[in-house]
Amino acid sequence: PTLGVAAAIILTGTAALCSPWLASSWRGSNDSGFDKAAVMANLKSFGVAGTVSYVVTELVFWALALPGACFGYHATTGEWLSLQTDRSQIVGIAAAFVTGVRFLVPVRMGVALALTPTCDRYLVQPFLRSNNVDDTN
């Protein structure tokens, strides 16, 4: 398909998947499956360690996703993105990127939850112990 058709397909699919009315009717209930707010509340319940694990997860994800998208574009087209790239092409690329990023939100949240004990052990507790040692002297 042409770039316009591909962009329309991607945007239509993204809009349908992101629509709360369509998503709930496809699943047959009002439960939308993944509840980002509930996972965020769960991360917040772990305190500083949950917040640190979420920040670390997001930093690593975006540090890999943005260069990965640029190199992926270069690998498929043989050219680098530039200001001279056609706007419709950039819209299509952005739509595909956003779709992929949205698809990976549950994975990122799961990784953040899984990393919470490790972040607590190696990042939060040593910092708290060093602050307690300084306070007692």
Side-chain angles (χ1 to χ4, degrees), residues 7 10 14-15 20 28 32 36 62 66 68-69 73 75 78 86 100 114 119 123:
I10 291 169
T14 302
S32 64
K36 184 178 178 179
W62 289 109
L66 292 174
Y73 176 78
D86 185 37
C119 286
L123 298 175

Side-chain angles (χ1 to χ4, degrees), residues 36-118:
K36 184 178 178 179
V39 177
M40 286 301 290
N42 198 0
L43 276 171
K44 287 178 185 176
S45 71
F46 290 109
V48 175
T51 303
V52 168
S53 69
Y54 178 73
V55 168
V56 167
T57 302
E58 289 296 309
L59 286 174
V60 169
F61 173 78
W62 289 109
L64 295 175
L66 292 174
C70 291
F71 284 111
Y73 176 78
H74 177 69
T76 57
T77 64
E79 60 186 42
W80 293 101
L81 282 173
S82 69
L83 295 176
Q84 286 74 32
T85 304
D86 185 37
R87 283 191 180 168
S88 62
Q89 192 174 6
I90 291 176
V91 168
I93 294 165
F97 182 73
V98 167
T99 301
V101 168
R102 257 190 87 64
F103 178 71
L104 292 173
V105 167
V107 174
R108 292 176 3 219
M109 293 292 183
V111 169
L113 280 171
L115 282 179
T116 300
T118 304

